[in-house]
DNA sequence: CGACGCTTTGACCCGTTTCAACAATGGTGG
DNA sequence: CCACCATTGTTGAAACGGGTCAAAGCGTCG
């Protein structure tokens, strides 16, 4: 039997402490519409007042903010199973934009039934709340990343984070994972220029920590990459997961 | 009659949409212990598993993370009425530390009664959830701040944020507010060195945007400071507040 | 094959860091 | 009340990480 489209959400809610059959059913009964988004398309924009949340089913999304001077900062990447804009459930105005890095498919779930779900099943509410808190923890780590790490470490850290997150949802194969973003986007995520991103990646390659071609990144030496990135997965708040698969 | 110690919390919960008398009473009946914290003292540390939340009654707190190489990044400042570690309600392990920038007094509220409050009064739960989402929005803005703004703008942005937040809780006097942090701390908040913070502040002073002496900052020209900071208060999600007092 | 987007390279430049001192300030104890 | 000491703020000079600009490779796709 084919999976229910909202299965990624169920799996995520199941991850910390398992949910009951009744809770699972309630989640699966949420209304939703699936939509395909093409690479580089915005899904929502700063200033919007969305009435849906967006569950990423497949692909790669990122949040970003722009400055009047044109500078763009990517705030986080989202992998399948994430609900990147769950915060819009309780914040009227969007303070950032969201776009697809690659062709993606998402399920839009209206706010109202989600709120009803939360009130009917407080434990689910707590779990969803927790998800937004983890997003917050990731933003904190990113403040540290752009604020204190040097160029190559920033990039290495993002790679460690992506690998860990993708692994947690079963989307890493061995030591490698798909990460088809441009160096310009990586620059916007790290606060570096494209040129310097390029040179820093070359450094990581030269140090035999990774290879990264055609959107696929392979980690040759996880321990040394972690060390170069000063990566500690605590902030991702994955439970019952060891550091490495 | 003297205010109830948890009054700052009641006021915060009241700010978006007013709460009922019953809800107010339930909040006021929360158990708590008040404690004084001296400047530069840690309240909790990365890796802790706190069993209380901490409501700031008076003073100035900040969250920070450190790197193995010794670098420290301040993640956010908290003003009276804030609950800096509300996220610990649903995240077992603390992924950052919290310290007092100045002598402060805080009320510790145990997690368990807070959780019960949330389940008994879902609207209060939503409001507390919302507070954590605003914290997340602030972290996002800080990623942008350290990632994309130049030195003087970063500092100006923090000043705009602090002024706006303090004003919202009635702790700004006219155009000025207390912000008794050292330039070294400001450096850790902006990802700059002390020396460069010093020079950047001098630039802000030279441009007649602010004065800042003995821990008190005065804003001479809000509009130009905002422009220099590229500050837009949307991300603070203050409701029914105009931009300036 | 040619155009377009992305990566890579080179040369030069500038914002920020580093290092090292020195000046204010404020608190403490004799 | 003053001498002392620890912080914090300020300044200068030199070094460097990362930025800027510009052009050249390289795939891929129409």
């Amino acid at each position: 039997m084919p999976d229910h489209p909202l299965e990624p959400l169920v799996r995520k809610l199941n991850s910390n402490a398992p949910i009951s059959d009744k809770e699972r059913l309630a989640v699966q009964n949420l209304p939703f519409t699936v939509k395909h988004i093409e690479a580089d398309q915005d899904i929502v924009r700063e200033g919007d007042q969305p009435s849906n949340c967006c569950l990423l089913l497949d692909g790669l999304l990122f949040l970003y903010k722009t400055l009047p001077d044109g500078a763009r900062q990517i705030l986080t990447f989202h992998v399948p199973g994430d609900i990147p804009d769950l915060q819009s459930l309780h914040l009227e105005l969007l303070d950032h934009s969201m776009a697809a890095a690659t062709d993606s498919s998402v399920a839009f779930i209206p706010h109202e039934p989600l709120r009803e779900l939360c009130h009917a099943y407080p434990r689910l509410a707590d779990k969803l709340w927790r998800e937004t808190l983890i997003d917050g923890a990731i933003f904190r780590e990113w403040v540290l990343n752009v604020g204190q790490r040097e160029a190559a470490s920033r990039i290495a850290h993002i790679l460690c984070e992506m690998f860990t997150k993708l692994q947690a949802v079963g989307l890493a194969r061995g030591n490698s994972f798909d990460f088809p973003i441009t160096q310009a986007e990586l620059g916007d995520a790290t606060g570096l220029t494209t040129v310097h991103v390029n040179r820093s990646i070359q450094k990581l390659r030269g140090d035999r920590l990774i290879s990264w071609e055609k959107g696929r990144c392979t980690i040759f030496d996880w321990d040394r990459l972690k060390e170069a990135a000063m990566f500690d997965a605590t902030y991702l708040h994955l439970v019952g997961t060891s550091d490495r698969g």
Side-chain angles (χ1 to χ4, degrees), chain A:
Chain A
M1 55 179 180
D3 269 0
H4 183 100
L6 297 186
E7 184 59 23
L9 177 55
V10 171
R11 217 172 303 149
K12 168 149 284 190
L13 292 170
N14 228 353
S15 70
N16 193 15
I19 63 177
S20 71
D21 289 346
K22 237 179 107 183
E23 287 168 332
R24 171 195 304 263
L25 265 178
V27 171
Q28 287 176 336
N29 281 332
L30 283 168
F32 64 90
T33 55
V34 173
K35 206 171 158 189
H36 285 266
I37 314 280
E38 284 183 20
D40 293 325
Q41 263 202 278
D42 279 342
I43 299 176
V44 287
R45 289 212 186 79
E46 208 171 329
D48 283 358
Q49 271 182 268
S51 52
N52 297 278
C53 283
C54 157
L55 168 69
L56 179 56
L57 301 175
D58 188 61
L60 181 64
L61 304 186
F62 60 87
L63 308 188
Y64 70 94
K65 299 186 85 150
T66 51
L67 246 27
D69 69 6
R72 179 176 77 160
Q73 176 69 43
I74 290 180
L75 305 164
T76 193
F77 292 103
H78 278 288
V79 303
D82 288 347
I83 308 182
D85 61 351
L86 187 49
Q87 13 113 217
S88 65
L89 202 57
H90 293 294
L91 295 178
E92 320 58 43
L93 270 183
L94 259 194
D95 54 64
H96 63 266
S97 303
M98 171 165 60
T102 67
D103 290 2
S104 301
S105 79
V106 303
F108 288 107
I109 306 173
H111 281 165
E112 219 24 60
L114 251 184
R115 286 205 195 88
E116 284 162 18
L117 181 82
C118 286
H119 289 168
Y121 300 91
R123 280 185 51 227
L124 290 181
D126 285 352
K127 276 164 174 281
L128 287 170
W129 188 350
R130 184 171 190 277
E131 289 305 316
T132 65
L133 295 173
I134 293 174
D135 288 339
I138 293 173
F139 296 134
R140 285 194 290 275
E141 184 69 32
W142 277 51
V143 175
L144 176 65
N145 201 38
V146 293
Q148 302 293 341
R149 288 189 183 88
E150 53 143 42
S153 298
R154 288 188 210 175
I155 294 170
H157 191 273
I158 288 187
L159 295 179
C160 287
E161 177 178 307
M162 290 309 294
F163 181 63
T164 306
K165 286 181 69 171
L166 286 169
Q167 202 173 235
V169 292
L171 289 175
R173 280 206 309 263
N175 304 315
S176 61
F177 59 101
D178 285 322
F179 197 29
I181 62 166
T182 65
Q183 295 184 357
E185 285 164 337
L186 192 56
D188 287 344
T190 51
L192 301 167
T193 56
T194 313
V195 172
H196 204 59
V197 165
N198 183 281
R199 287 175 174 141
S200 303
I201 291 176
Q202 285 179 52
K203 183 163 184 304
L204 295 177
R205 286 201 271 244
D207 291 347
R208 312 250 153 213
L209 297 177
I210 60 159
S211 75
W212 191 356
E213 52 235 331
K214 301 186 191 193
R216 186 153 194 97
C217 178
T218 302
I219 297 172
F220 291 139
D221 190 327
W222 175 246
D223 288 336
R224 279 176 55 232
L225 184 66
K226 259 179 58 178
E227 195 188 332
M230 297 186 275
F231 178 76
D232 173 350
T234 306
Y235 74 98
L236 292 173
H237 296 277
L238 300 166
V239 287
T241 321
S242 70
D243 186 52
R244 175 66 189 293

